[in-house]
Amino acid sequence: MSGSASSAVTPRALSRRSRGVRGSAIRDLLTLTARSDVISLAGGLPAPEFIPGDRIAEQARAALAVPGSVQYAETTGLRELRGVLAHRESGRIGRPVDQADIVVTHGSQQALSLSAQVLLDPGDTVVVEAPAYTGALQAFQAAQARVHTVPLDDEGMVTEELRRLLESGLRPAVVHTVSNFHNPRGVVLGESRRHELAALAERYGFWVIEDDPYGDLWFDAAPPPPVAALSDRVLRLSSASKILAPALRVGWLHGDREVCRAVELLKQGADLCGSALTHRIAAGLLADDAWMTAHVDALRSGYGSRARALVGALDDAFGDTLTLSDVRGGMFCWASVAGSAGAETDTARLLDSALVEGVAFVPGAAFGTGEQDLSSSMRLCFATYGEDVLTEAVARLRRAVDRHG
């Protein structure tokens, strides 16, 4: 074989699709904050003590007694689980959901990724909320879509702005919303705006991806009915990760049958099928209505107490130099901080001082697309730690701000 330079083959570059996807700043940050001395408010991690390990183990033993639990399953998910989910989702949207219109996925992130691939061609426009869920940005970048933002306020997506953009000629293929307890902003899409979003989807022919992994985690009042209850042009995504355990990797989507069929075909090429074992475990837990009601009530009480502890500590430590979202559920608090002289603080730089003090958060810029200045904001997760630890985390954050100047 000749070793001459003239016969060398230049390695082919990576595909354009893969070159256009940026990493998750949050996942990168979690690697940096894994030190045992750091109180990390950066992740969206359920509290370990609220994960029903004993009940999962019991259900796993029961599942393993069924031979099919360790075999390949249908691409769309274990039929038993899809039946449970159809019943569950029917109650949420107020009309029957056929299990044939449900696809069980490897977490709701896979549902989002597959939906993006099904609904978007390269160059299509997708509208996201600003600040945006980072997983959605990754999925839409991988689909080579053009991302356009619509701002959020205390009532969620400003649908009046979306309507104005549509009237001005914007023609998105997809509009994405985290309708309940938004990640990262924490807000809930108001009921009248849900109706307007559904009406705009019908009028202009775009698809709505309603991403709802946090909807069960309300503290004082349940959120309004899903957007999926108002239009057939909505794909609704949800997950067992926040109410049972992330490691089960059970998410799902439902909606238009043709779209679900296309998602199924892509899923065949991605993973062939999910885990029949974890599907059977999740089905057994979700089908036990009495146990699930008590379990979710305990989650609401526990997370609500932690949210109040974090917000109270932040108010005490920062006063009016910190603007906080109204935390009504979910796992996150959104905060914007000003320096001692009243100037806005760059939270990406503040993070360096915070790590020195032993506390971490996600800088607001991680949730941006460049269309909005999020540099003075941060996302704080209150779910993972107890009240005393959250109070200590805020004390460390106060010292970090003072150190930063």
Side-chain angles (χ1 to χ4, degrees):
M1 180 175 178
S2 173
S4 64
S6 60
S7 64
V9 176
T10 302
R12 186 179 185 276
L14 297 177
S15 70
R16 286 189 296 274
R17 181 185 297 270
S18 65
R19 293 199 302 269
V21 180
R22 70 182 187 184
S24 167
I26 298 173
R27 294 294 168 232
D28 295 342
L29 180 60
L30 291 179
T31 301
L32 295 175
T33 60
R35 295 174 4 215
S36 59
D37 61 324
V38 173
I39 302 174
S40 179
L41 308 183
L45 307 179
E49 61 270 28
F50 292 162
I51 293 174
D54 290 344
R55 187 61 197 270
I56 290 172
E58 175 186 324
Q59 198 63 46
R61 286 191 292 271
L64 286 168
V66 180
S69 297
V70 291
Q71 270 294 359
Y72 291 110
E74 295 177 70
T75 302
T76 50
L78 194 72
R79 190 164 303 191
E80 177 184 347
L81 176 56
R82 285 186 287 124
V84 171
L85 294 174
H87 173 74
R88 182 182 178 85
E89 292 296 319
S90 295
R92 275 156 176 68
I93 69 172
R95 54 181 169 80
V97 173
D98 194 311
Q99 72 175 47
D101 300 333
I102 289 181
V103 180
V104 181
T105 56
H106 194 74
S108 61
Q109 182 63 33
Q110 188 188 48
L112 180 56
S113 176
L114 293 174
S115 299
Q117 292 178 58
V118 164
L119 299 177
L120 294 165
D121 286 321
D124 279 350
T125 296
V126 58
V127 170
V128 301
E129 296 154 329
Y133 168 51
T134 56
L137 293 178
Q138 283 187 299
F140 298 140
Q141 287 163 359
Q144 298 180 293
R146 294 183 299 166
V147 176
H148 196 97
T149 61
V150 169
L152 291 163
D153 63 16
D154 290 341
E155 289 295 312
M157 179 190 289
V158 182
T159 50
E160 297 90 338
E161 174 65 12
L162 175 62
R163 183 182 68 245
R164 187 189 68 78
L165 291 170
L166 293 167
E167 290 172 348
S168 298
L170 186 71
R171 290 296 179 265
V174 168
V175 173
H176 176 264
T177 179
V178 183
S179 54
N180 296 323
F181 315 117
H182 186 271
N183 180 4
R185 187 67 168 72
V187 295
V188 175
L189 184 62
E191 187 165 9
S192 64
R193 291 186 178 181
R194 294 175 188 235
H195 282 271
E196 181 165 27
L197 178 57
L200 290 172
E202 296 285 348
R203 178 177 178 183
Y204 289 96
F206 58 80
W207 292 99
V208 175
I209 296 179
E210 183 180 21
D211 212 345
D212 184 22
Y214 307 103
D216 284 315
L217 299 180
W218 49 268
F219 300 153
D220 298 314
V227 184
L230 307 172
S231 172
D232 291 334
R233 297 201 61 79
V234 180
L235 295 180
R236 178 170 153 77
L237 282 53
S238 195
S239 169
S241 292
K242 306 304 185 292
I243 57 173
L244 291 177
L248 292 176
R249 305 312 301 138
V250 171
W252 58 89
L253 67 85
H254 70 80
D256 180 86
R257 185 163 296 184
E258 183 179 356
V259 174
C260 288
R261 175 59 178 161
V263 167
E264 177 188 0
L265 292 175
L266 281 183
K267 190 175 186 298
Q268 287 176 3
D271 65 6
L272 188 61
C273 67
S275 166
L277 178 59
T278 60
H279 288 191
R280 196 173 298 278
I281 293 170
L285 295 172
L286 292 171
D288 189 339
D289 290 337
W291 179 82
M292 277 299 301
T293 297
H295 172 64
V296 173
D297 282 347
L299 292 181
R300 292 170 184 153
S301 175
Y303 287 147
S305 178
R306 293 178 179 198
R308 289 188 291 273
L310 177 65
V311 170
L314 289 168
D315 282 338
D316 291 342
F318 290 93
D320 59 7
T321 65
L322 197 72
T323 303
L324 301 175
S325 60
D326 182 16
V327 183
R328 298 158 56 189
M331 304 176 82
F332 304 112
C333 176
W334 183 253
S336 297
V337 62
S340 57
E344 289 187 342
T345 297
D346 185 336
T347 54
R349 291 189 172 188
L350 174 62
L351 180 59
D352 292 334
S353 298
L355 289 172
V356 172
E357 295 294 340
V359 65
F361 55 83
V362 183
F367 305 96
T369 63
E371 294 184 47
Q372 186 181 46
D373 183 8
L374 303 173
S375 61
S376 65
S377 298
M378 66 179 84
R379 190 194 76 176
L380 306 168
C381 176
F382 53 76
T384 312
Y385 298 105
E387 289 85 343
D388 291 345
V389 178
L390 291 170
T391 300
E392 171 60 23
V394 171
R396 296 182 185 189
L397 183 60
R398 176 71 262 185
R399 292 196 298 269
V401 171
D402 292 342
R403 171 192 290 271
H404 184 73

